[in-house]
């Protein structure tokens, strides 16, 4: 908790220091990145549909702190936090959201499809629930290859209504795959509370599938990291687990959503559960100077600034290159196309 | 003449259909309290009650399947699937259940349901929120498929689709939702299966549907400047489509271009061309040229997407090619 | 239990006498119908894929005894029992399986698609799980129309792995629809025991969805009928319920399946759980003469014989009529086609 | 030359691919202990172990989705979907995930998976167990689609499909499973995307794939008796398809007939005709005629089904019509 700040440290994740300050840095990185995106979206500089994870960052950071580079994750439409915490290239991230050729997806995917295979981030996903089956298959591959890696599926509470999720719970349990289910329960699926969408609690479903389930405060990164550190080794050794993170969707369903359908007091109260605030308070209580936290924010912002400027300077994607990537080049001698 | 937006025309058609027939219900994600992801059902819950405008969980397969069961049990459900890309999740309900029930049960039953869904690009929504998949449904015996190009036809065709005894896939181009146009004070119901001639011309027939109709019209204006008079047919219905109208136009112009936003390969245009290359062969004085999207997913970047979407320029080139 | 046998009585079902003898008659009707089909299949007279419900008849008969003509059912690939018990036309049934124009589906559907809308039988189904969403929608229609009717979905234990089933459980519970879920748990899904397909028990899943669940001996028609008589009014008044019937698949997955993958002793033991035998024993114990039972079988066989002969004499279906039924005639003035 | 059954050829290809590459796994309902519903994977569990031949629950969507995830993580999964009609349940995995992953992730990844599935009628299996839906998949950028017509090509194409870095939908006509034919002792791998000329002729080109190839061959024999020499091309791959081979044949015969078992309207044939009505227009001396199934679900009754399925007689009539 008192380690010196290393400005060159990678975001929490692979072999990173799991101390709270490192986690905090990662929270700040996600938050500042998304706030920057929000501003650029409002300015018309970021196109498409943007779903921010502001208020939910602690889930990504806490879980990823327990993973290695070999572990894989499958994400959702609200995937920026997962992607950044897993350690994807920040330059590639911003370049993608700005639709540049230097983007991780060369400007073809955008926010809903950011992916970085080099760090085991198998993609955000525009289809609610689809990531679970991708993680399921990745877990199957890990097991078949005896790699010792785990696969993690992130999904929202609204996704629990998709039949595919149940198919995956059943198969993961049946085959005892090294798969971690992480539910980000923010109480909403688009514009309707999930209490009006779901007749069940995940805890009870987990009991039916006999998959051990823990409920954590998804806005307390220390709590999430502690749970993940305990549970990921169980997944590696013994099979599927579920971590359900109670969390808060702050910015509405997508950028541009004024959330008129929400109770104003509820919205106002969200700041009390702000993951950054919670962790900052813990750090200050543990003796970290407020200045140290502020300087983390400054550094992070500088890093983001550099990424944004690099993205702005980068060329847009080329049509011919895109067309050439619909298929992989056929293996030598096969001339499949 | 009053002006009407495309989205409002959909909204009006839903309201009028619900007022006319108490068995019409609307069902889908966020259709009720929120009035629809794009606002198509705004105000309907207040007017017709939550029992008839039903918010669902995120369970597309069950929503569509339930519509089949409800239709077999006396209701006329109108389902909203938020993006056509998500119809990947309702294929069994639509194809194996809705489309086949009448035939497979020996004519005992009809399945009067409508599945409304927006397709199309132009919003930077990326590869999983922009696809035009209507060709899939048009290939399925038992389904009808409609795709209106403007507010008046959106109203008139949706009323006909809801009144129709068979399952109809009703495709709305989301880039058209904001389109405003003059409409008659009394909006007529428009029969399914009939094309509309939007422009008369003697030199070439351009067949289009949905947003591509406007691309075709823009091309026609440009061509007129070059002395080429294009006849423009708005297909409106894709299954059944108005083969006779297309043939009549071809018999007049002897040249054919087919335009749509969907991927060209194995798209709706292929069927139209294939029919005309058979029954219209003797009328043809030049190659039949299609204009559709290239064989790639819909890209996110604005620049890529613009290059991807069929343009008036490409239609003009296609016309020049068949006239050459 | 001692009412006189009325040979003209409809199979148990709508407003029928629910006495055990009437139920027995219905069991015999299903059994003899399927045995006849089995023989005709072996002779090559019945084409296609045929899934017999021999050993499972008590589920159909017991549940249907609690339903009215307004109630609807959605069935499965193994749907003969459901169809016959719901009171569909026996002549139309055999004519359909023999692919005649007089068949309920005019020879276009066959075994996997028998349906009789006039008795609320919304169809067998070739797609595992699909019937549940059809019943869900039918229940929604009943509720919207305030008809007081219930919708019943029959499904096998193997179907529990289909995501659609979970979507339907959630929606039925969420909306408290008048829908009864009837699981026919025969321990098999095709050639694999469902213990190798499912990681959960339906009872536990039901608890998660907070849908009351009862487990009954699905081979004891009295037990099924008693449960259904108690539970169907609950469904009508209060919302969804699940009845799980433990039962036995005797003839293999489909006709022609020699079940070499099954333990010979297990197969041999099935006759002890034979629903007809169980009920016959109860009836005899209750004072019914064995002769009376035998004469039921005779009458039923005569009825079936008549249906088969009528079907054999009937013409095959016409192609033009089939083509004309792909769509409904467009309503007057609309000329949709 | 040894004889081989079509089903056995599939089985051999699976075995040889698994022996050649330890990353190949087979996954599906009843593929392992039972050896596949039709027996395609018989004996493989014994040889390669249950870890590589995986029996699944009845969960098509998750099976296909898992194959995508496994393919992104280093395996080469071969999925079996028991009937093509059930691919209605895997559309999201195939279309929104498998097909797009490479493009949408900027070329970072390939998705080397194969989805094997039988289509076709003739078994009295009825409307939900007989459909030919390959046109859907051919319309989706990112997918490849293959449909072999005989044992040797079933072997060679399946080997190529499994070795291919992209997702392939591999369609087997179930009525061909029992077909026996002579094959070379060393079965070659056959590249995707290449048609085979099965019969040379000067009067008309008949293009077919799958079981319809045999219908076309039967028609050609009959036509030969009338002095008409038909050239028969087996397309083999539907996406990509061998446009140049078709064009070459057309340039020789100047008449074109396209035959498949799938519903004619909006089927695969439409695309082939549409291309030729464009790039091959100058070669055409008569209308292009398609022979496919009528616009109805596949009926159960033998009589109806026989009338439904494309026949040699209908191909002969089609040829006569284009020659008239
Ligand atoms: C299959 C599918 N259905 C619907 C949508 C539209 N949609 C996008 S996000 C969303 C809500 C998801 O809720 P949840 O899973 O709780 O995630 P959250 O947005 O709360 O993070 C919906 C309905 C979609 N993208 N995919
Ligand atoms: C969607 C789908 N997947 C697979 C099949 C093939 N299939 C037919 S019946 C069956 C087993 C069903 O098991 P269960 O639900 O327990 O019913 P049972 O046969 O035991 O009555 C399977 C896999 C199918 N018809 N539909
Ligand atoms: Mg949520
Ligand atoms: Mg079973």
């Amino acid at each position: 908790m008192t380690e010196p700040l290393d400005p060159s440290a990678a975001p929490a994740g692979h072999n990173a220091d799991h101390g709270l300050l490192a986690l905090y840095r990662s929270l700040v990185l996600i938050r500042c990145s998304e706030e920057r995106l929000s501003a650029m979206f409002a300015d018309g500089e970021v196109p498409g549909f943007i779903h921010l994870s502001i208020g939910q960052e602690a889930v990504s950071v806490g879980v990823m702190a327990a993973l290695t580079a070999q572990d894989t994750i499958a994400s959702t439409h609200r995937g920026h936090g997962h992607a950044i915490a897993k350690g994807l290239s920040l330059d590639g991230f911003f370049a993608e959201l700005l639709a540049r050729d230097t983007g991780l997806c060369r400007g073809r995917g955008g926010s809903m499809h950011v992916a970085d295979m080099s760090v085991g981030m198998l993609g955000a996903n525009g289809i609610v629930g689809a990531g679970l089956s991708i993680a399921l298959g990745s877990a199957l591959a890990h097991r078949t290859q005896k790699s010792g890696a785990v696969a993690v599926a992130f999904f929202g509470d609204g996704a629990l209504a998709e039949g595919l999720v149940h198919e995956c719970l059943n198969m993961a349990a049946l085959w005892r795959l090294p798969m971690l289910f992480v539910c980000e329960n923010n109480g909403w699926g688009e514009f309707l509370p999930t209490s009006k969408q779901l007749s069940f609690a995940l805890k009870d479903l987990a009991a039916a599938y006999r998959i051990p389930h823990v409920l954590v405060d998804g806005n307390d990164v220390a709590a999430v990291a502690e749970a993940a550190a305990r549970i990921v080794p169980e997944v590696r050794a013994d099979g599927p687990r579920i971590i359900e993170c109670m969390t808060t969707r702050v910015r509405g369903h997508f950028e541009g959503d004024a959330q008129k359908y929400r109770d104003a007091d509820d919205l106002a109260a969200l700041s009390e559960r702000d993951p950054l605030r919670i962790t900052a308070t813990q750090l200050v209580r543990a003796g970290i100077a407020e200045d140290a936290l502020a300087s983390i924010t400054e550094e992070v912002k500088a890093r983001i600034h550099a990424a944004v400027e690099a993205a702005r300077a980068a060329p847009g994607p080329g049509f011919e290159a895109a067309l050439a990537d619909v298929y992989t080049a056929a293996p030598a001698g096969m001339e499949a196309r | 003449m009053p002006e009407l937006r495309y989205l409002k025309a959909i909204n009006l058609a839903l309201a009028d259909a619900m007022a006319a027939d108490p068995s019409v219900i609307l069902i889908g994600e966020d259709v009720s309290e929120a009035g629809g992801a794009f606002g198509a059902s705004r105000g309907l819950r207040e007017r017709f009650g939550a029992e008839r405008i039903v918010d669902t969980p995120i369970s597309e397969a069950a929503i569509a399947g339930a519509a089949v069961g409800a239709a077999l049990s006396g209701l006329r459900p109108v389902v909203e699937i938020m993006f056509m890309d998500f119809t990947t999740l309702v294929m069994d309900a639509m194809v194996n259940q809705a489309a086949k029930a009448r035939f497979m049960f020996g004519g005992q039953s009809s399945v009067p349901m409508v599945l409304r869904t927006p397709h199309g690009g132009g919003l930077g929504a990326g590869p999983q929120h922009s696809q035009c998949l209507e060709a899939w449904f048009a290939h399925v015996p038992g389904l009808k498929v409609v795709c209106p190009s403007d507010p008046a036809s959106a109203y008139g065709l949706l009323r006909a689709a809801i009144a129709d005894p068979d399952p109809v896939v009703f495709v709305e181009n989301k880039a058209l939702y904001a389109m405003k146009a003059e409409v008659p004070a009394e909006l007529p119901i428009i029969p399914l299966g009939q094309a509309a001639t939007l422009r008369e011309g003697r030199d070439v027939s351009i067949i289009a549907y949905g947003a591509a109709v406007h691309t075709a019209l823009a091309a026609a204006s440009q061509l007129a400047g070059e002395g080429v008079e294009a006849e423009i047919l708005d297909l409106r219905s894709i299954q059944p489509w108005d083969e006779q109208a297309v043939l009549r136009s071809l018999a007049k112009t002897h040249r054919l271009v087919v335009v749509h936003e969907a991927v060209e390969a194995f798209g709706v245009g292929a069927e139209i061309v294939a029919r005309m290359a058979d029954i219209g062969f003797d009328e043809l004085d030049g190659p039949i040229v299609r204009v559709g999207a290239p064989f790639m997913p819909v890209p996110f970047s604005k620049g890529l997407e613009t290059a991807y979407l069929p343009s008036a320029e490409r239609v003009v080139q296609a016309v020049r090619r068949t006239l050459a």
Side-chain angles (χ1 to χ4, degrees), chain A, chain B:
Chain A
M1 301 253 177
T2 53
E3 73 274 321
L5 174 68
D6 173 4
S8 73
H14 323 136
N15 307 322
D17 187 328
H18 297 167
L20 191 58
L21 201 59
L23 301 184
Y24 180 73
R25 187 181 189 283
S26 199
L27 291 177
V28 173
L29 181 62
I30 298 171
R31 172 67 54 88
C32 292
S33 294
E34 291 203 315
E35 283 180 342
R36 187 65 198 268
L37 286 173
S38 174
M40 290 196 294
F41 181 85
D43 290 347
E45 197 177 349
V46 168
F49 294 123
I50 306 290
H51 307 80
L52 298 186
S53 64
I54 289 180
Q56 308 189 176
E57 300 91 340
V59 177
S60 298
V61 174
V63 170
M64 248 57 87
L67 304 186
T68 73
Q70 281 63 50
D71 297 328
T72 45
I73 69 166
S75 170
T76 67
H77 58 289
R78 204 176 296 290
H80 303 162
H82 311 140
I84 294 174
K86 191 69 169 73
L88 100 172
S89 148
L90 200 71
D91 290 327
F93 174 76
F94 275 98
E96 184 56 29
L97 274 111
L98 290 173
R100 304 295 151 158
D101 199 36
T102 51
L104 276 161
C105 307
R106 303 193 67 182
R108 301 173 201 153
S111 168
M112 275 191 286
H113 306 290
V114 280
D116 189 344
M117 300 291 151
S118 72
V119 299
M121 161 44 174
L122 304 183
N125 212 307
I127 306 297
V128 168
L132 280 96
S133 62
I134 290 175
L136 180 82
S138 188
L140 181 67
H142 295 329
R143 215 236 334 246
T144 308
Q145 296 161 333
K146 303 194 189 351
S147 71
V150 306
V152 184
F154 290 88
F155 56 100
D157 45 337
L160 287 169
E162 288 285 8
L164 180 59
V165 175
H166 299 259
E167 297 185 359
C168 292
L169 286 166
N170 180 45
M171 284 161 80
L174 191 69
W175 297 338
R176 299 182 68 134
L177 291 180
M179 172 164 177
L180 177 63
F181 294 83
V182 180
C183 179
E184 300 184 276
N185 186 342
N186 60 16
W188 291 86
E190 287 204 354
F191 316 118
L192 201 67
T194 45
S195 58
K196 293 187 181 175
Q197 303 184 31
L198 302 175
S199 61
F200 59 92
L202 178 53
K203 182 172 159 297
D204 297 328
L205 209 63
Y209 289 108
R210 288 169 224 166
I211 303 180
H213 166 278
V214 298
L215 197 75
V216 300
D217 178 350
N219 288 23
D220 180 346
V221 74
V224 177
E226 183 278 320
R230 184 162 41 81
I231 289 160
V232 167
E234 291 178 21
V235 174
R236 247 181 257 289
D238 187 50
R241 298 290 187 273
I242 301 174
I243 303 181
E244 181 174 1
C245 301
M246 302 307 293
T247 188
T248 50
R249 195 191 75 184
V250 172
R251 299 272 322 162
H253 175 56
F254 42 43
E255 281 303 278
D257 173 7
Q259 302 202 72
K260 293 209 180 113
Y261 50 89
R262 283 189 76 171
D263 183 86
D265 291 344
D266 285 357
L267 273 178
L270 289 179
S271 69
E272 274 161 44
R273 293 196 58 206
D274 180 51
L276 272 72
R277 197 200 234 193
I278 289 171
T279 305
T281 306
Q282 291 166 351
L283 286 167
V284 169
R285 228 178 262 149
I288 304 288
E290 303 222 6
D291 276 4
L293 302 186
S295 70
I296 288 180
T297 306
E298 288 319 302
E299 282 154 26
V300 161
K301 283 191 174 160
R303 177 71 191 84
I304 290 167
H305 180 77
V308 170
E309 291 309 316
R312 283 176 171 164
F319 193 80
E320 290 309 317
L323 204 54
D325 261 348
V326 176
Y327 295 94
T328 314
M334 241 201 62
E335 289 156 78
R337 282 184 66 77
Chain B
M1 291 221 294
E3 281 205 323
L4 187 67
R5 278 200 202 279
Y6 189 99
L7 182 64
K8 182 69 190 164
I10 300 287
N11 182 266
L12 264 183
L14 292 172
D16 289 354
M18 293 190 78
D21 181 348
S23 68
V24 176
I25 66 160
L26 190 52
I27 177 165
E29 293 159 19
D30 278 322
V31 297
S32 190
E33 291 193 23
F38 291 93
S41 46
R42 212 166 278 159
L44 301 186
R45 179 191 177 92
E46 293 69 19
R47 185 160 163 210
F48 299 104
E51 280 249 318
R52 291 182 64 195
I53 321 276
V54 184
D55 270 333
T56 67
I58 312 175
S59 306
E60 289 79 7
I63 296 166
V68 180
L72 288 173
S73 303
L75 297 185
R76 290 186 172 266
V78 180
V79 171
E80 177 174 292
I81 296 292
M82 206 179 289
F83 287 83
M84 191 169 208
D85 314 70
F86 311 163
T87 62
T88 48
L89 297 166
V90 305
M91 296 309 284
D92 196 75
M94 294 311 294
V95 172
N96 283 330
Q97 314 298 333
K100 298 187 176 31
R102 178 175 180 78
F103 174 87
M104 149 173 105
F105 298 154
Q108 289 182 56
S109 56
S110 293
V111 184
M113 66 176 282
V114 175
L115 187 138
R116 290 182 43 244
T117 193
H119 76 174
L123 277 70
Q128 291 175 343
H129 285 72
S130 309
Q131 288 164 90
C132 297
L133 301 172
E134 54 276 6
W136 288 358
F137 297 97
H139 187 43
V140 178
L143 296 181
K144 296 175 179 172
V145 184
V146 179
C147 186
S149 68
D150 61 17
S153 65
Y155 177 91
L157 291 165
L158 184 51
R159 288 298 305 276
I162 297 174
D164 198 273
D166 293 313
V168 181
V169 176
F170 191 89
V171 187
E172 302 159 12
N173 190 296
K174 64 176 98 73
L176 294 182
Y177 277 148
M179 174 197 180
K180 219 180 200 170
E182 292 198 335
V183 297
E186 281 281 309
L187 283 160
I189 293 180
I190 299 176
L192 306 186
Q194 299 184 7
T197 303
L198 298 190
R199 192 183 196 285
E200 306 258 355
R202 59 170 190 264
D203 299 321
V204 61
S205 301
I206 307 181
I207 316 297
Y209 63 85
V213 166
H214 306 286
T215 315
L217 286 167
S221 302
Q222 192 179 323
L223 288 162
E226 303 175 14
V228 175
E229 290 303 326
E231 178 148 305
I232 309 281
L233 258 69
D234 177 356
L235 217 47
R236 290 182 168 174
S237 291
I238 294 167
Q239 182 60 268
W241 60 280
D242 196 342
E243 189 173 289
Q244 286 312 311
V246 175
L247 190 56
R248 270 195 307 273
S249 181
L250 176 62
K252 179 175 157 190
T253 67
H254 307 293
R255 313 269 174 176
L256 189 62
V257 168
V258 184
V259 190
H260 53 57
E261 185 177 329
V263 162
E264 178 182 314
F266 298 89
V268 165
E271 177 64 23
I272 296 163
V273 175
R275 269 315 267 169
M276 292 305 132
D278 182 348
I279 62 172
F281 182 76
D282 292 340
E283 303 293 350
L284 286 169
D285 285 348
I288 316 182
V289 186
R290 287 176 295 166
V291 178
F295 206 58
M296 66 152 77
V298 187
F300 160 65
S301 119
K302 178 111 206 120
L304 290 181
E305 197 181 19
T306 303
Y308 174 89
L309 292 171
S311 62
E313 189 46 44
R314 283 187 53 214
V315 177
V316 168
Q317 283 163 14
V319 168
R320 287 199 196 116
R321 195 145 71 73
T322 189
L323 288 170

